[in-house]
Amino acid sequence: MEILQQLSGALQDGSLKATSGLSSFAASVQNYSVENMSYKLPSIRSIAKLAYGSAQFALYTNGVLGGAPDVCTNPQLSCHNTTAVANTCCFNAPGGLLQQTQFWDTSPATGPTNSWTVHGLWPNNCDGTYGQYCDESRQYTNITAILKSYGATTLLNYMNTYWLNDPDDGTNEVFWEHEWGKHGTCISTLDTKCYTNYKPQEEVVDFFNKTTQLFQTLNTYTYLSAAGIVPSSSKTYTLAAINAALEKARGVSAVVQCSNGALDEAWYYFDVKGSVQTGTFVPTNQVGGSSSCPATGVKYLPK
């Protein structure tokens, strides 16, 4: 409550602006992200969304609050049910194992030299299989415009720094469209029916907001450097050492991928208690994923 009071005061006197960035705000209010801090005070509904663990502020269209995700009472943990769960607005199914995936791109280099970048958020069917392109009616080709229409400029700026396409493959927009259309549409709790007073495309903002929030909690560069595993043009590492560093950081396993013997991806796994929008992400071990890296001689090339 004290934090919310401080936040309200900062909003009223204008000292907290959207341009302060996601990472600086996250340092003061843990994982909460700011999309429109230069607008008006959060409404009661937006504060309620925080109370349900959404780790995000309500989305705005010209200062008007969008719809709210369904409230989930006593939600179950995904991938742990023994019978079918009917309410897939509060239980992610069949894609109940959420993977936050990251890139380490060096040729060409993308993103900051001391940070991995976002690949996506993939719903795994709890067994290593995946659905894809689950809703043809929501294959949007205007992700940037959707985010801007909700005033999510801070989020968009963050994505243009940490969620980057390979320049040889097209624009960032093209990459975001692919990740939403292939994976985002397969997350059951992001279905349009899972919102009260649904506003068109607000689930898209929730998808990109949640993905970047998770990414900010998964600092692959720091995890590896803490174990002495740093980018090098000459030094190599064992896969066992890399896996151990990532497991030590979170207490559960992760998966890394290689291209031509060099690290280029990291996959982190979560079960979710409740919806992707407001639920609790619980770190879990890998399911169905295997590494393409060699056992020894793994390169970690500098950007």
Side-chain angles (χ1 to χ4, degrees):
M1 182 58 69
E2 180 180 352
I3 291 175
L4 289 176
Q5 291 171 342
Q6 293 172 355
L7 174 59
S8 297
L11 283 164
Q12 289 174 321
D13 66 21
S15 63
L16 183 58
K17 302 293 184 182
T19 53
S20 63
L22 288 174
S23 58
S24 61
F25 184 70
S28 62
V29 196
Q30 297 180 355
N31 292 332
Y32 297 153
S33 70
V34 177
E35 304 306 340
N36 296 285
M37 301 313 298
S38 59
Y39 284 85
K40 61 185 182 180
L41 279 171
S43 69
I44 295 299
R45 177 179 286 177
S46 68
I47 294 173
K49 291 177 76 174
L50 287 176
Y52 282 103
S54 63
Q56 63 185 14
F57 277 87
L59 306 173
Y60 288 81
T61 304
N62 299 322
V64 178
L65 188 67
D70 286 356
V71 173
C72 301
T73 304
N74 297 321
Q76 298 184 53
L77 186 64
S78 61
C79 298
H80 287 68
N81 57 309
T82 56
T83 59
V85 176
N87 184 5
T88 57
C89 289
C90 288
F91 184 85
N92 290 283
L97 181 67
L98 277 295
Q99 290 177 228
Q100 202 289 295
T101 55
Q102 302 182 9
F103 276 136
W104 179 259
D105 287 326
T106 60
S107 182
T110 61
T113 58
N114 62 346
S115 177
W116 290 54
T117 56
V118 182
H119 186 168
L121 183 64
W122 305 346
N124 179 318
N125 293 334
C126 305
D127 59 4
T129 64
Y130 303 84
Q132 58 181 5
Y133 302 106
C134 295
D135 189 343
E136 289 299 325
S137 70
R138 293 190 294 155
Q139 297 296 314
Y140 302 127
T141 57
N142 60 335
I143 301 301
T144 298
I146 292 171
L147 296 179
K148 287 182 176 179
S149 75
Y150 277 89
T153 53
T154 302
L155 172 59
L156 185 59
N157 291 339
Y158 188 91
M159 289 166 58
N160 275 314
T161 302
Y162 292 101
W163 198 332
L164 307 174
N165 200 4
D166 183 328
D168 296 334
D169 294 335
T171 63
N172 295 339
E173 168 72 27
V174 168
F175 185 27
W176 301 337
E177 292 168 5
H178 169 79
E179 289 301 307
W180 163 256
K182 183 176 182 178
H183 302 292
T185 60
C186 296
I187 298 175
S188 69
T189 63
L190 290 177
D191 195 283
T192 59
K193 71 176 185 293
C194 297
Y195 290 80
T196 301
N197 299 321
Y198 172 73
K199 300 296 188 295
Q201 292 91 48
E202 68 176 289
E203 77 280 13
V204 174
V205 192
D206 281 346
F207 171 76
F208 287 101
N209 199 36
K210 180 56 66 176
T211 304
T212 55
Q213 287 172 359
L214 287 175
F215 171 75
Q216 289 177 84
T217 71
L218 299 166
N219 194 327
T220 305
Y221 189 92
T222 298
Y223 296 164
L224 294 176
S225 62
I229 300 170
V230 295
S232 172
S233 298
S234 57
K235 190 174 182 179
T236 62
Y237 305 94
T238 66
L239 178 59
I242 293 168
N243 286 339
L246 298 182
E247 184 164 350
K248 181 179 180 181
R250 299 174 64 242
V252 292
S253 61
V255 174
V256 292
Q257 304 296 347
C258 288
S259 176
N260 298 317
L263 281 177
D264 72 342
E265 285 203 60
W267 297 353
Y268 297 99
Y269 296 77
F270 295 87
D271 294 325
V272 184
K273 191 173 185 179
S275 69
V276 161
Q277 300 95 306
T278 66
T280 300
F281 281 67
V282 180
T284 190
N285 291 305
Q286 68 189 79
V287 175
S290 61
S291 176
S292 59
C293 298
T296 60
V298 179
K299 293 175 284 186
Y300 186 16
L301 299 175
K303 291 187 180 182

